Amino acid sequence: MYRKRQKMSVANIGATILAAFVGAIVVPMPMQSQQVTINPENRAVRDEADRLLDVGYTQLKDGKTREAIKTWLYAIGYYRRVNDQAAISYTLARVSDAYELLGASNAAQDTSRQRIGYANTLQDNGAKLESSNNLVSFEIAQGKLESASKLNKATLELSTKNEQGLNTAIALNNKGLIAERYGNHLEALKQYYASIKVHPIREAIGEGYTYINSGDSLMALDNYKAAITDYGMALTIARQHRNYKLMSVASDRIIAAYLEVPNFYRIEELLQNRSSLALVMGDQETAAIVQRYLGDLYLSFGNLPKARAAYQESYDFAAMLGDNTSLPLREAYYKLQELERL
């Protein structure tokens, strides 16, 4: 098949190099003039593409992210043979998410741009908005606030016009993040709360992270009590949905806020819960660090028996890491030694 040669941008080159490391296939951008009708011939090709899509999901679930990317890109190759551009667009979204998990932001961005190309051809505003929101998030993280603001403005207008609740909520959250990066925390709060208002119920975890963002802006404004309220909302959502990642983020934030108030008895409870959560997540290092903080808290109360017990647990958790030179282990050891001299 004849393919038109195109000059590659620096971003495309970077994505292609990374793709080579995972054995990926470069997916060409569609032209507006392309036909979007699916070729019904050769059902076996379509079946193989669907099988590879499922295999990729299994690989990702098993922690084999690079293998999942490779598998999905091969699936895209099969979908191209039957010209199923909707399936290509869907699979590109999975590839972009997987690249993001690997920390390969350039490749994730390039894949999102490819998906926007297919979304334009298919006139699929949902896919276009989803990928556009992802691109805005990447640019915010990279400090490219001017370009992020420009793209986010267009994305917010389109999502509002098309009554896309989730994409509107994400775009408003991104607008808040941009304002926050510029130091305008009052404007950021306005956008965060607007995002929460339109957030679909089925996407509660995203709402939880928006409460984390609003809490951060409130902390920057020294409004610690209001920050505790918003972090508490995020923690409640996380517990309702048993989302350990959000639970840990919200717990860390709310502990920091209570240190500013302060409420040491509430901090004690939160530190105990945070240590238990870390163990449930298999994160002995964090559990060791939290127990050391708990020991420091008890020591400030003058409760030496509780401080000793907390430091000992910190040492035991750190010892589970199997590294006798680890910082958590050494810090717990020194704390126990200092306690013996009191």
Side-chain angles (χ1 to χ4, degrees):
M1 180 184 296
Y2 173 76
R3 297 180 185 173
K4 183 178 180 181
R5 295 174 62 88
Q6 296 179 336
K7 292 183 179 180
M8 297 186 71
S9 66
V10 174
N12 284 335
I13 292 172
T16 304
I17 291 172
L18 180 59
F21 281 108
V22 297
I25 300 170
V26 178
V27 182
M29 294 284 284
M31 304 297 291
Q32 289 291 337
S33 59
Q34 280 183 296
Q35 296 293 321
V36 296
T37 304
I38 298 174
N39 183 355
E41 297 179 4
N42 202 342
R43 180 66 194 181
V45 173
R46 174 57 186 263
D47 289 344
E48 178 62 9
D50 291 344
R51 186 190 71 81
L52 289 170
L53 187 64
D54 291 338
V55 170
Y57 277 122
T58 301
Q59 290 171 326
L60 187 69
K61 184 179 179 181
D62 293 340
K64 300 176 180 179
T65 308
R66 292 182 181 274
E67 290 84 348
I69 292 172
K70 181 177 179 179
T71 300
W72 283 331
L73 287 169
Y74 275 118
I76 288 172
Y78 282 98
Y79 283 130
R80 287 191 65 245
R81 289 173 59 183
V82 294
N83 200 32
D84 190 342
Q85 295 190 34
I88 294 172
S89 174
Y90 175 84
T91 311
L92 282 171
R94 311 286 78 73
V95 173
S96 180
D97 290 344
Y99 274 133
E100 186 175 358
L101 284 175
L102 289 176
S105 59
N106 287 339
Q109 286 175 274
D110 186 70
T111 307
S112 291
R113 292 189 186 99
Q114 292 181 50
R115 190 190 185 205
I116 289 173
Y118 281 93
N120 285 333
T121 300
L122 295 164
Q123 297 183 336
D124 184 350
N125 284 328
K128 179 179 179 178
L129 289 167
E130 181 181 329
S131 292
S132 294
N133 273 323
N134 287 341
L135 287 175
V136 172
S137 297
F138 284 126
E139 292 191 338
I140 293 172
Q142 294 167 359
K144 300 176 181 178
L145 300 183
E146 187 175 344
S147 59
S149 182
K150 182 178 179 180
L151 177 57
N152 189 66
K153 181 180 179 181
T155 303
L156 181 55
E157 288 175 355
L158 183 61
S159 60
T160 303
K161 179 181 177 181
N162 287 272
E163 298 182 346
Q164 291 262 342
L166 177 58
N167 283 312
T168 299
I170 295 172
L172 286 167
N173 179 69
N174 283 336
K175 189 175 182 180
L177 286 171
I178 293 168
E180 182 182 330
R181 297 300 190 275
Y182 278 120
N184 191 346
H185 296 289
L186 290 176
E187 176 63 23
L189 285 169
K190 177 182 175 181
Q191 301 305 324
Y192 293 144
Y193 292 140
S195 173
I196 290 168
K197 186 176 180 180
V198 300
H199 228 290
I201 296 175
R202 67 180 185 280
E203 298 291 342
I205 301 305
E207 181 182 346
Y209 279 106
T210 304
Y211 273 116
I212 295 292
N213 294 335
S214 63
D216 289 348
S217 280
L218 288 165
M219 287 287 285
L221 293 169
D222 297 333
N223 192 342
Y224 305 121
K225 290 185 177 180
I228 287 170
T229 298
D230 281 11
Y231 291 147
M233 288 296 297
L235 186 57
T236 298
I237 291 170
R239 285 172 174 166
Q240 288 174 343
H241 295 270
R242 299 184 64 82
N243 187 295
Y244 294 142
K245 183 178 179 180
L246 176 58
M247 207 181 298
S248 62
V249 172
S251 296
D252 292 342
R253 293 294 212 286
I254 202 169
I255 289 168
Y258 269 116
L259 285 170
E260 298 290 345
V261 175
N263 184 329
F264 292 112
Y265 293 104
R266 180 67 174 129
I267 293 169
E268 175 190 12
E269 178 188 1
L270 288 165
L271 285 172
Q272 289 171 339
N273 291 340
R274 183 68 179 93
S275 178
S276 299
L277 175 61
L279 291 176
V280 169
M281 297 174 69
D283 185 0
Q284 286 84 8
E285 182 175 1
T286 296
I289 294 170
V290 172
Q291 282 295 325
R292 179 166 55 79
Y293 290 152
L294 192 57
D296 292 344
L297 184 69
Y298 289 137
L299 191 60
S300 70
F301 290 159
N303 193 329
L304 299 186
K306 279 193 171 184
R308 183 176 291 105
Y311 289 143
Q312 185 61 55
E313 285 201 3
S314 176
Y315 184 88
D316 293 342
F317 293 151
M320 294 178 185
L321 300 173
D323 182 1
N324 293 332
T325 64
S326 71
L327 183 60
L329 188 69
R330 287 187 284 116
E331 288 180 335
Y333 174 79
Y334 290 137
K335 289 290 185 179
L336 285 169
Q337 292 300 307
E338 289 177 4
L339 206 58
E340 291 302 319
R341 290 192 286 268
L342 293 179

